Every structure is written in C-alpha cells, then in structure tokens.
Amino acid sequence: MTAAAVPVHTSEGSWLTSLMETIVTLMEVIGPIGAGIAIALENLFPPLPSEAILPMAGLAASRGSFTLTEALLWTTLGSVVGAFMLYGIGAWLGVDRLRRIAARVPLLHPEDIDRTVAWFVRHGGKAVFFGRMIPLFRSLISIPAGITRMPLWKFGLLTAAGSLIWNTIFVLAGFLLGEAWPVVERYAEAFQLLVIVAVAGALAWFLTVRIRGILRDRRRAAEGPALNSLHGPRSGNPENPPT
C-alpha cells in the first residue's frame, strides 16, 4: 500500500513549487534515497530550501514511506556528498588561482585572500561545523575548506556532525508536527533573513572602508606633487648665503 502524497508548502514562485513537487515524487518513488539526492542538490543549488525538503522527508517517514532513521541517514549522507563536490571546486581553485583572480577584481587585493586563508587555517574546523547550521553558509563553507586543503577525514567528520544536527531538527519537525511543519519553515526563513542582513551589512562595511582607503590614497598622491612644487628646491646654501 502506498503512502498518501506529501503536500508541498512553499511561498515562492511557481518554479520552486514545481521543483518541490518533483522532489516529493522522487521521495515517493525511490524512498529515502530520493531525500538524500535532493539534499545533495541543495548543497550545489542553494535556492533549493533544505528547510522545506527536510520536513517533508520527516513527514514521509511519519506516514510509513520509510523509517525516521533512514530519513536522517540518507539526508545526512546527501549533505556530505554535496559538500565534498563543493570541496572539490575549492581544491581546484586553490590559493594561487584565487590570488590572481583577486588581483583583477576591483576593490580586492591578493592580500585579502592571504588573510582569509590564514583565518580559515586557524578556525576552519569551527567554521565548517557551525557553518553547516547557518543558511547560505551551509554550502559555501565547503569551498574555502577545499581551497585550504583541509584534511578530507576532518572535513567529512565535521560536515557530517554539523549536518546531522541541522537535518535532525527539520526532519523531526516534519515527523512530529505533521501537516503543521511549515511553522518551523517560517522561523527558519526569519533566521535566514537575519543572516542575509548581517552579510549585507558586513559587505557594505567592507566596501565603505575599502573605497575610503582608495580615495585617501588618491588624495595623498595628488597632494604630494603639489606640496613639492609649492616648496620647490631652494637655491644656494641657507647656512652659507652668498656674499
């Protein structure tokens, strides 16, 4: 006997609704593996909302399509697989290639890459673990891990641990709340909006500081020749004036 279809709740445009319906169908056809594939794709395509996919996996588990353990296992495995794909992109980029790119991008300097890499080398473990529980950064955090060539075992372990915590929250929400799971999605959307505002604020601060620095350097460069021409070289020796 097949389980009843899992309803799709999204406040986004029709393309996302259709995409979510496809993911639900995938879960219904191939079971928890479909949930794992969907989460792996979510890592590569951030507009796919894990906050919607994971509760639907929990809801499907509550209806007997598969077990709760299978839902958690396959969604976490999907998170790790997707993260390793992005890790590979970061490893391909590498520090040297990224420094060359930064040298060509306005307002960026190769030294910015050096500072970022140095920070990640010191704090990368915490960044990967907690980053898996922060919207937007869930996927992106894998790229600097690849750039700095974080040991694969360490990256995989931290990614699995952080993903398991995040996935458990939303899978359990769907499993326990049933049709009322979208209430959790609303809280997740508020958290994501807060993250977006924080990132936008940090970006605005960076641009302001960098542009002010460039303008200050240009003023100093322009004032230098002007001061030299104003005070020009003096003829003779002031200590021994000509008689």
Side-chain angles (χ1 to χ4, degrees):
M1 185 174 72
T2 60
V6 179
V8 176
H9 300 270
T10 61
S11 57
E12 305 293 333
S14 58
W15 71 271
L16 184 54
T17 301
S18 300
L19 190 58
M20 295 305 296
E21 289 173 349
T22 302
I23 291 171
V24 168
T25 302
L26 190 66
M27 284 191 285
E28 291 174 345
V29 171
I30 61 177
I33 300 176
I37 292 173
I39 291 299
L41 293 176
E42 177 264 336
N43 278 263
L44 300 173
F45 188 57
L48 271 175
S50 65
E51 298 88 346
I53 298 171
L54 293 169
M56 286 191 293
L59 183 55
S62 73
R63 293 181 170 184
S65 299
F66 40 82
T67 68
L68 180 61
T69 300
E70 287 175 321
L72 293 173
L73 174 64
W74 282 102
T75 54
T76 300
L77 182 60
S79 297
V80 173
V81 169
F84 267 111
M85 291 180 183
L86 291 174
Y87 179 100
I89 293 174
W92 172 80
L93 275 174
V95 176
D96 293 336
R97 181 178 280 111
L98 209 57
R99 291 182 88 257
R100 290 195 296 271
I101 293 172
R104 295 183 175 91
V105 176
L107 303 181
L108 284 181
H109 306 306
E111 292 77 14
D112 297 328
I113 304 301
D114 295 337
R115 285 191 292 269
T116 303
V117 168
W119 182 90
F120 199 89
V121 169
R122 293 194 304 271
H123 307 289
K126 295 187 289 290
V128 169
F129 176 73
F130 290 108
R132 295 301 306 178
M133 294 174 270
I134 301 177
L136 301 183
F137 290 96
R138 280 173 43 76
S139 300
L140 297 178
I141 198 63
S142 302
I143 296 177
I147 290 172
T148 58
R149 300 299 179 97
M150 176 181 285
L152 293 176
W153 68 267
K154 182 178 181 181
F155 174 75
L157 185 62
L158 291 170
T159 298
S163 298
L164 179 60
I165 294 173
W166 177 264
N167 295 354
T168 299
I169 293 172
F170 288 94
V171 170
L172 280 179
F175 187 83
L176 298 175
L177 297 178
E179 302 292 346
W181 70 262
V183 68
V184 178
E185 185 183 15
R186 287 196 289 272
Y187 283 108
E189 288 174 351
F191 180 40
Q192 179 170 309
L193 180 60
L194 182 63
V195 172
I196 292 173
V197 170
V199 171
L203 181 60
W205 175 83
F206 171 80
L207 292 176
T208 300
V209 171
R210 184 56 52 88
I211 291 172
R212 283 181 176 177
I214 291 173
L215 294 176
R216 183 173 58 249
D217 292 341
R218 287 180 179 176
R219 281 197 301 269
R220 288 176 179 173
E223 289 171 356
L227 290 174
N228 290 337
S229 62
L230 180 64
H231 297 290
R234 297 182 181 179
S235 60
N237 189 333
E239 294 182 358
N240 301 296
T243 55

